[in-house]
């Protein structure tokens, strides 16, 4: 079974400051990990994902995340916040590996609402 | 190319009624998943259809059902609506193969907001 914990339901940062959104996961098998962003009245947009290979992954809009197996974490960062980054962010996990083909439902965290202070 | 299209965008229904929501995936995508999003429960997986067959199912009562057509379009149905069914229902499409997850992940539609009164 998989689960995701996002620490901090609300995060506020000043424009130009570092953005750090935390995500810890639990998985009995190697996970595939995702970050999605949701703007008001819209669906989810994929920011980035980790499946295999390089543990530091870069996504759209200047975001990146690092998979740390020893810490079971997949924190999302952006060096300099922009007003357009204000949105809700969701971390998600699905079981990885060939053995789990066909069992690819996403388990989401509860989300973190990011506010940017001008 | 066109994204995932969900219709209608908004619905208001009365308790006890039933409702059908529609999702048209990206052309060529064979997998369609449905999620319910509420402030209290967050995003929860309902079910996934792949090549017209339900491949995965979440922990929702039997009032929630779905189907997929040969053109990969999917519908979900909720019967005997309850106030607690008020939510944003999101559809996500993917190629449905492991290679897709490695490359593209899921693409979500804008959702259908259902209000039960």
């Amino acid at each position: 079974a998989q689960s995701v914990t996002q620490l901090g339901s609300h995060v506020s940062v000043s424009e130009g400051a570092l953005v750090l959104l935390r995500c810890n996961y639990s998985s009995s098998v190697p996970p595939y990990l995702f970050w999605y962003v949701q703007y008001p009245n819209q669906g989810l947009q994929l920011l980035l994902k980790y499946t295999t290979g390089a543990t530091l992954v870069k996504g759209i809009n200047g975001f990146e995340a690092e998979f740390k197996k020893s810490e079971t974490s997949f924190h999302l960062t952006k060096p300099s916040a922009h007003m357009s980054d204000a949105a809700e962010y969701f971390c998600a996990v699905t079981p990885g590996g060939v053995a789990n083909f066909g069992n690819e439902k996403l388990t989401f965290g509860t989300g973190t609402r990011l506010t940017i202070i001008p | 190319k066109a994204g995932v299209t969900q219709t209608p965008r908004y619905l208001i229904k009365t308790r006890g009624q039933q409702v059908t929501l529609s999702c048209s995936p990206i052309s060529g995508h064979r997998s369609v998943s449905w999620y319910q999003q509420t402030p209290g429960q967050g995003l929860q997986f309902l079910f996934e259809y792949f090549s017209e067959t339900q491949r995965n199912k979440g922990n929702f009562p039997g009032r929630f059902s779905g189907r997929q057509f040969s053109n990969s379009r999917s519908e979900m149905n909720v019967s005997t609506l309850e106030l607690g069914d008020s939510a944003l229902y999101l559809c996500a499409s993917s190629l449905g193969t492991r290679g897709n997850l490695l490359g593209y992940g899921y693409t979500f539609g804008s959702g259908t907001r259902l209000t039960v009164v």
Side-chain angles (χ1 to χ4, degrees):
Chain A
Q2 286 75 42
S3 66
V4 174
T5 301
Q6 290 185 242
L7 293 175
S9 58
H10 291 86
V11 170
S12 296
V13 301
S14 298
E15 191 175 14
L18 171 72
V19 175
L20 170 61
L21 305 183
R22 300 179 186 274
C23 171
N24 288 88
Y25 70 90
S26 173
S27 179
S28 56
V29 299
Y32 290 169
L33 294 156
F34 304 82
W35 275 100
Y36 283 88
V37 61
Q38 186 177 36
Y39 298 99
N41 297 317
Q42 293 189 27
L44 302 175
Q45 180 182 9
L46 180 65
L47 277 177
L48 48 80
K49 64 186 182 299
Y50 168 79
T51 52
T52 58
T55 56
L56 180 63
V57 293
K58 295 184 185 300
I60 62 172
N61 302 338
F63 285 94
E64 62 182 39
E66 186 171 11
F67 171 61
K68 292 187 176 181
K69 183 178 178 181
S70 61
E71 299 177 8
T72 61
S73 69
F74 191 56
H75 302 330
L76 181 71
T77 61
K78 182 175 181 177
S80 177
H82 191 272
M83 294 300 294
S84 61
D85 295 327
E88 189 149 21
Y89 292 79
F90 293 92
C91 182
V93 64
T94 194
V98 176
N100 290 296
F101 171 67
N103 183 25
E104 294 148 350
K105 69 175 185 177
L106 292 168
T107 299
F108 285 91
T110 52
T112 298
R113 185 169 299 279
L114 177 64
T115 300
I116 310 299
I117 303 167
Chain B
K1 58 181 176 182
V4 179
T5 303
Q6 291 189 247
T7 56
R9 285 297 308 274
Y10 301 93
L11 265 178
I12 300 176
K13 289 288 188 178
T14 304
R15 266 184 307 173
Q17 288 186 313
Q18 75 166 11
V19 67
T20 299
L21 312 181
S22 178
C23 173
S24 292
I26 290 173
S27 178
H29 283 195
R30 296 163 61 194
S31 167
V32 174
S33 300
W34 289 89
Y35 291 81
Q36 182 196 64
Q37 185 177 25
T38 60
Q41 300 298 318
L43 281 152
Q44 295 187 87
F45 173 77
L46 280 154
F47 29 65
E48 181 212 4
Y49 286 86
F50 177 72
S51 293
E52 301 180 66
T53 300
Q54 188 180 85
R55 187 162 68 170
N56 288 292
K57 189 176 187 304
N59 297 320
F60 278 79
R63 300 186 296 107
F64 292 81
S65 62
R67 59 177 176 170
Q68 186 179 35
F69 302 95
S70 58
N71 62 357
S72 293
R73 189 177 71 86
S74 177
E75 291 181 345
M76 68 163 282
N77 184 274
V78 187
S79 62
T80 319
L81 284 166
E82 302 177 358
L83 295 179
D85 298 332
S86 295
L88 179 66
Y89 290 88
L90 292 165
C91 163
S93 83
S94 75
L95 288 170
T97 65
R98 176 61 54 172
N100 170 71
L101 271 187
L102 295 176
Y104 304 107
Y106 291 92
T107 302
F108 281 81
S110 296
T112 294
R113 184 164 298 280
L114 171 65
T115 302
V116 182
V117 297

